[in-house]
Amino acid sequence: MQNDNEKVYILCLGSPLDPFVEHFCNEYRLLLKEIGYGVEHIFCQNIESINKATFVGKGKLEAIREYYKDNKENGVRKLACAFELTAVQKKNIESITGLTVFDRTQVILDIFDNNAKTREAQLQVEIAKLNYSKAHLINETANYSQVTSGGGHNKGKGEEELELKRRRIAAAIYQKTKELEEIKFSRSNSRNARRDSVLPKISIVGYTNAGKSTLMNKLLSASKAQEKKNVLQKDALFATLETSTRLISVHDYPEFILTDTVGFISDLPHYLIDAFRSTLEEITEADLLIQVVDSHSPFLNDEVRTTNEVLSSLGADTKKMIYLYNKYDLLDKGGFTTLPKKNERYVSLQNDEDLETVISFICEAMTIDWKKVKLYLPYSIDINGFKKENYCLNIEEKENGHEVTAKLNPKTQYKYKDYLI
């Protein structure tokens, strides 16, 4: 579907004067840009109910056809609908407008296809695209009246070809799902190993392009851990499709396991939610969630709500969560008119001074429920190993050991019960 620098028309729902519609259209414009399309003109229509045959009203489609005929010199030949169409609706819209039609789901699937780098992500996208194709098969030999009536069928060769396509797609889905299950089993073993670790597990979540991968890479840069392989960081929608897990060891804070996840978006096609559910299961294993929010977005509240809705669908809405309102430096002077709550910070992840604040903030949230104690640890106990697992607030060297004030990791406190003061 991709054709660099090609222009398209957009058809979206609602009033062009509605700020939310404007935001949705701008987001769709960015999605189209990711697969090489520019936007020539946007058509909008308010509808009270979906037309089964054409989704929007036939009058709007005829108006688009007339606009297309009057402006053929601009070279636009395609209409990008900002919603998902059935196969019948797509065929009917093409018949009325004379334009090649594709929908929002196809656009997102293409972006995911372009950005999938690992075999697991590629299989997930391939399965999603096959399920979309299967749901949108149509008997091409049926005429317009048969398609719009919903009751007509062109029996014979066309119907046989349709059934053959269904079987081929079902067989392809089966084979790819089988291969994916083998990969998921291997990743599940890795997750089980992390589950057995005493180190806290933290997942970064948030709307696409909010700065999640930037946070991961900044923490990796500051980390003393040997594994410092950066994750892909790009100013683009859905640049990251795979979960990336790294060990973070910063300053004298306790170590933790950090996972970067795929970004969310409003009305994510259900084909992709199902496909990536296993990937997003990393979130359900986390002890703490860090939601990165683009504070420069005029619709940040909607983006936070979308993220929380996805978390709720995964059963992770009760997880302890903190919010990093990123890109604060891009706001007009004065920024937010309210002070951040206890579980919020306003930051710019490009600012090293803010990064120190972020690290401290994460550590405090991570250890908020850990018990504060005083211990006397003999020199025979590795103090550096102790600091990796627990949050040391103060250490004093004494004659026979270290006198320590610390917040004990609940998973390791049994080791030190004999050393409590």
Side-chain angles (χ1 to χ4, degrees):
M1 192 170 69
Q2 180 174 349
N3 191 346
D4 290 345
N5 302 318
E6 184 177 354
K7 296 284 187 179
V8 297
Y9 297 134
I10 285 180
L11 174 58
C12 67
L13 304 179
S15 167
L17 301 178
D18 185 335
F20 183 78
V21 173
E22 180 184 8
H23 167 65
F24 191 80
C25 286
N26 285 337
E27 184 177 83
Y28 193 40
R29 187 192 295 267
L30 291 174
L31 289 170
L32 288 164
K33 182 181 178 182
E34 290 298 317
I35 55 171
Y37 286 114
V39 177
E40 176 67 26
H41 188 78
I42 298 177
F43 298 94
C44 292
Q45 186 182 39
N46 273 316
I47 60 172
E48 294 182 359
S49 60
I50 295 173
N51 186 311
K52 290 183 179 180
T54 56
F55 200 101
V56 298
K58 188 176 179 182
K60 172 59 69 172
L61 298 177
E62 290 172 344
I64 293 173
R65 179 188 62 203
E66 295 308 310
Y67 185 93
Y68 162 54
K69 287 182 177 179
D70 293 340
N71 295 275
K72 282 194 172 182
E73 69 280 358
N74 62 26
V76 178
R77 299 292 181 270
K78 294 179 180 178
L79 177 65
C81 295
F83 37 83
E84 185 173 331
L85 298 166
T86 66
V88 169
Q89 290 162 347
K90 178 176 176 290
K91 183 172 182 178
N92 290 343
I93 294 174
E94 288 181 334
S95 178
I96 295 171
T97 63
L99 293 160
T100 300
V101 174
F102 56 90
D103 63 19
R104 185 172 179 271
T105 299
Q106 288 176 274
V107 173
I108 295 177
L109 287 171
D110 274 10
I111 295 172
F112 272 61
D113 198 14
N114 292 343
N115 291 346
K117 300 296 185 285
T118 66
R119 182 56 184 159
E120 181 180 17
Q122 289 167 353
L123 284 169
Q124 287 169 324
V125 175
E126 287 168 10
I127 292 169
K129 294 185 81 169
L130 284 167
N131 278 314
Y132 176 86
S133 297
K134 185 179 178 183
H136 289 74
L137 284 176
I138 190 170
N139 188 347
E140 296 295 341
T141 62
N143 60 39
Y144 179 81
S145 62
Q146 288 174 317
V147 171
T148 55
S149 69
H153 291 281
N154 225 21
K155 299 291 184 180
K157 185 177 180 181
E159 195 69 21
E160 291 173 2
E161 290 178 353
L162 195 63
E163 182 58 33
L164 184 60
K165 287 179 182 178
R166 288 196 186 101
R167 290 176 183 173
R168 286 174 178 168
I169 291 175
I173 291 174
Y174 174 80
Q175 290 298 328
K176 293 180 186 299
T177 301
K178 189 176 178 182
E179 183 181 348
L180 180 60
E181 288 299 322
E182 294 174 359
I183 297 174
K184 283 165 59 178
F185 180 76
S186 175
R187 189 160 54 78
S188 177
N189 288 337
S190 298
R191 189 189 302 139
N192 288 337
R194 289 196 292 273
R195 186 184 294 126
D196 294 337
S197 171
V198 300
L199 299 181
K201 290 166 282 294
I202 301 176
S203 287
I204 308 172
V205 299
Y207 212 74
T208 182
N209 206 29
K212 297 182 301 301
S213 297
T214 300
L215 174 61
M216 169 71 93
N217 288 336
K218 289 290 183 179
L219 291 173
L220 279 171
S221 296
S223 179
K224 297 178 291 185
Q226 292 183 348
E227 176 58 65
K228 286 193 175 186
K229 186 178 179 182
N230 281 9
V231 298
L232 177 63
Q233 183 180 323
K234 183 181 176 184
D235 185 19
L237 303 180
F238 301 118
T240 304
L241 293 184
E242 300 83 16
T243 56
S244 302
T245 300
R246 304 285 188 271
L247 174 66
I248 304 296
S249 177
V250 183
H251 308 321
D252 285 329
Y253 294 117
E255 294 181 345
F256 57 91
I257 298 168
L258 185 65
T259 298
D260 183 24
T261 61
V262 61
F264 305 146
I265 194 171
S266 60
D267 297 325
L268 184 68
H270 66 274
Y271 308 101
L272 286 170
I273 291 177
D274 292 341
F276 281 84
R277 187 170 294 277
S278 61
T279 304
L280 294 173
E281 281 175 1
E282 295 283 350
I283 295 170
T284 66
E285 301 289 336
D287 300 301
L288 174 69
L289 302 181
I290 304 172
Q291 183 169 166
V292 181
V293 182
D294 180 358
S295 62
H296 188 241
S297 169
F299 294 92
L300 64 91
N301 290 330
D302 296 303
E303 293 171 3
V304 169
R305 186 179 65 251
T306 293
T307 299
N308 289 337
E309 285 173 352
V310 175
L311 292 176
S312 178
S313 72
L314 295 169
D317 50 327
T318 58
K319 293 283 182 182
K320 182 167 59 177
M321 181 156 58
I322 57 177
Y323 295 82
L324 292 180
Y325 286 85
N326 185 31
K327 307 181 186 180
Y328 187 64
D329 54 315
L330 300 179
L331 293 179
D332 294 335
K333 192 173 182 180
F336 293 121
T337 57
T338 57
L339 294 173
K341 299 176 183 176
K342 286 186 178 181
N343 65 337
E344 299 174 345
R345 290 293 183 276
Y346 303 155
V347 300
S348 168
L349 291 174
Q350 302 299 337
N351 187 323
D352 289 339
E353 292 181 5
D354 281 5
L355 183 61
E356 292 298 318
T357 300
V358 168
I359 294 171
S360 174
F361 180 46
I362 292 172
C363 183
E364 290 298 329
M366 179 176 72
T367 63
I368 193 170
D369 297 323
W370 293 12
K371 186 178 180 181
K372 184 178 177 180
V373 298
K374 281 192 174 183
L375 308 100
Y376 194 90
L377 301 176
Y379 286 124
S380 59
I381 292 180
D382 179 14
I383 193 66
N384 289 322
F386 177 86
K387 287 159 63 175
K388 287 180 179 180
E389 295 179 348
N390 305 280
Y391 187 12
C392 289
L393 304 174
N394 187 57
I395 300 179
E396 293 183 21
E397 289 193 15
K398 299 293 183 179
E399 184 177 349
N400 296 314
H402 295 99
E403 188 173 291
V404 180
T405 301
K407 297 179 79 173
L408 286 186
N409 183 331
K411 293 182 179 180
T412 65
Q413 60 184 4
Y414 71 92
K415 299 180 183 178
Y416 308 104
K417 58 183 175 58
D418 295 335
Y419 306 106
L420 295 172
I421 297 176

